[in-house]
Amino acid sequence: KIGEEIKMSKGKKIVIWSIGVLFTIVVTSIVGEYFYLNNLFNKMVNVEISKTSIGITEEVEETLSKYSDTIINIALFGVDSGFDGIGRSDSIMIATIDTHNNKLKLTSIMRDSYVDIEGYGNDKINHAYAFGGPELAISTINRNFNLNIQDFISVNYGSFPRIIDKIGGIDIEVDEEELQYINEYIEDMNNFNVTNSPEILSTGVQHMDGTQAIAYCRIRYATGGDYNRTERHREVLSAIFNKVTQMSINQYPALLNEILPMIETSLKSDDILELGNEVIKMNISSIEQERFPLDGYCQGQMIGGIYYLVFDRQTAANQMRNYIFEDTKFW
């Protein structure tokens, strides 16, 4: 049983997040007229999800059914398969397409969140993926936060430097404290991946390659710890989204060819194309972001010698549902 943090080398403890959904949603909508689109989608690893095993109660289904035409939620998992081969979802997000409020949202769930995992008891939410793959991970989110998510996209951490390099890098602003940490992570990643990305030498907006961007996301011990780390995940994800939408249409086929084999998903090609069309019609220029449990409603606690983020689950569930479905602001 994974009841404690499994120690890995610094090179393997790479924080990852799932960006496949945003790439495919935006890009495939635009290249949808290409005759080889289905061949490209066939490069993805498709996983069947049992709709009866993902923790959606009748009450939740009935309550949220009124949003079925306006709110689409997809679970995003960034999976780190360590030396033991066990895939933990070290990054957990929910991508929301809100056609009523004309918004695209990213909701992060703290990976140390102390939740009930069916069949395994109380544990960290990121262990659900290791215990039962995406099906149990989705079920754990739905059961603990009273949601009705049915689909997912996951990407392994090793994909991201290649993806970011493929789009020509991204621009990220680095502050003084982040500068103190980022180069150690860059060095670790260079040693692990046998790359030679340069150090970041100054604060301000920096154009980062894939290795540098992932190193930026790995920063954990600066002010805010894991809380601010999830914000860096979303910041990088937003930068990727903005970069892709600015690319020439002629660049999309090669980009898709590179990205899609890295993606595991329950979505079919028709589903992705339909979602992409919705996003394009919304003409979205930015992504709204939030993280749960919220500050002030959770606390770190040692249980059995292991650190967990403890919170009132019903309160967190209500807040998350209000944010996703009612567009409630907490800032």
Side-chain angles (χ1 to χ4, degrees):
K1 182 178 187 296
I2 305 172
E4 60 183 32
E5 290 286 359
I6 303 227
K7 295 183 179 180
M8 295 180 285
S9 70
K10 290 182 179 179
K12 288 298 291 182
K13 292 178 69 175
I14 295 177
V15 177
I16 39 74
W17 69 102
S18 188
I19 64 174
V21 65
L22 294 178
F23 276 179
T24 52
I25 284 176
V26 176
V27 175
T28 57
S29 299
I30 299 173
V31 303
E33 299 302 320
Y34 282 83
F35 70 91
Y36 49 78
L37 181 59
N38 284 332
N39 289 333
L40 286 174
F41 281 135
N42 287 336
K43 293 177 178 289
M44 295 186 301
V45 178
N46 199 261
V47 177
E48 294 290 337
I49 293 294
S50 172
K51 303 304 182 183
T52 61
S53 303
I54 51 178
I56 304 176
T57 66
E58 291 183 5
E59 180 182 0
V60 167
E61 188 170 25
E62 181 179 354
T63 301
L64 299 182
S65 62
K66 62 182 179 181
Y67 303 100
S68 60
D69 294 331
T70 57
I71 302 289
I72 302 168
N73 291 313
I74 302 168
L76 308 179
F77 301 113
V79 181
D80 183 3
S81 297
F83 291 132
D84 51 12
I86 300 175
R88 300 166 187 80
S89 52
D90 270 3
S91 182
I92 304 169
M93 296 186 190
I94 301 169
T96 300
I97 301 172
D98 181 348
T99 59
H100 176 69
N101 294 295
N102 210 46
K103 290 183 177 182
L104 182 62
K105 298 177 182 177
L106 279 178
T107 301
S108 295
I109 301 176
M110 298 292 288
R111 68 174 187 169
D112 290 332
S113 296
Y114 192 56
V115 298
D116 177 54
I117 302 176
E118 188 173 19
Y120 296 88
N122 292 322
D123 208 333
K124 297 189 178 187
I125 193 169
N126 70 324
H127 289 164
Y129 201 101
F131 293 147
E135 197 165 273
L136 183 58
I138 294 172
S139 174
T140 301
I141 296 173
N142 285 337
R143 290 175 61 251
N144 285 273
F145 298 102
N146 295 333
L147 297 176
N148 60 349
I149 298 171
Q150 298 188 34
D151 289 298
F152 82 98
I153 293 178
S154 68
V155 183
N156 193 280
Y157 85 88
S159 307
F160 298 112
R162 292 165 50 196
I163 292 173
I164 294 172
D165 288 341
K166 190 70 178 180
I167 65 174
I170 56 176
D171 293 330
I172 296 292
E173 186 167 357
V174 178
D175 63 30
E176 291 185 5
E177 189 175 22
E178 291 164 343
L179 185 62
Q180 297 176 28
Y181 292 94
I182 190 170
N183 289 317
E184 179 181 353
Y185 290 109
I186 292 174
E187 181 181 359
D188 287 343
M189 291 195 62
N190 278 333
N191 291 336
F192 183 77
N193 295 321
V194 193
T195 53
N196 58 353
S197 292
E199 293 185 346
I200 302 295
L201 301 178
S202 60
T203 59
V205 177
Q206 304 294 323
H207 187 73
M208 297 186 181
D209 63 20
T211 296
Q212 293 167 327
I214 302 303
Y216 173 77
C217 288
R218 289 184 62 197
I219 298 172
R220 185 175 186 179
Y221 299 106
T223 301
D226 215 32
Y227 295 94
N228 287 355
R229 186 182 66 159
T230 64
E231 293 181 7
R232 295 186 189 97
H233 291 181
R234 298 190 300 272
E235 183 180 352
V236 169
L237 191 54
S238 294
I240 293 170
F241 177 83
N242 293 334
K243 185 68 175 288
V244 170
T245 58
Q246 295 168 7
M247 292 173 62
S248 164
I249 190 171
N250 295 328
Q251 296 175 279
Y252 288 145
L255 179 62
L256 280 172
N257 193 63
E258 181 81 15
I259 291 170
L260 293 180
M262 305 176 188
I263 296 173
E264 184 175 287
T265 182
S266 59
L267 295 168
K268 303 295 192 296
S269 58
D270 289 345
D271 299 327
I272 296 174
L273 186 57
E274 183 178 349
L275 292 174
N277 287 331
E278 290 293 336
V279 172
I280 294 301
K281 287 189 294 185
M282 292 161 64
N283 194 29
I284 293 173
S285 60
S286 63
I287 304 172
E288 198 169 282
Q289 307 172 26
E290 190 52 271
R291 167 183 43 78
F292 292 92
L294 294 169
D295 293 346
Y297 292 88
C298 59
Q299 61 180 358
Q301 184 175 330
M302 299 298 293
I303 301 176
I306 302 168
Y307 175 86
Y308 297 95
L309 191 66
V310 179
F311 56 96
D312 183 83
R313 294 171 189 168
Q314 188 59 56
T315 298
N318 291 340
Q319 291 171 333
M320 187 183 293
R321 279 174 41 153
N322 285 337
Y323 172 68
I324 291 176
F325 294 97
E326 298 293 340
D327 201 34
T328 303
K329 304 295 189 297
F330 295 100
W331 60 88

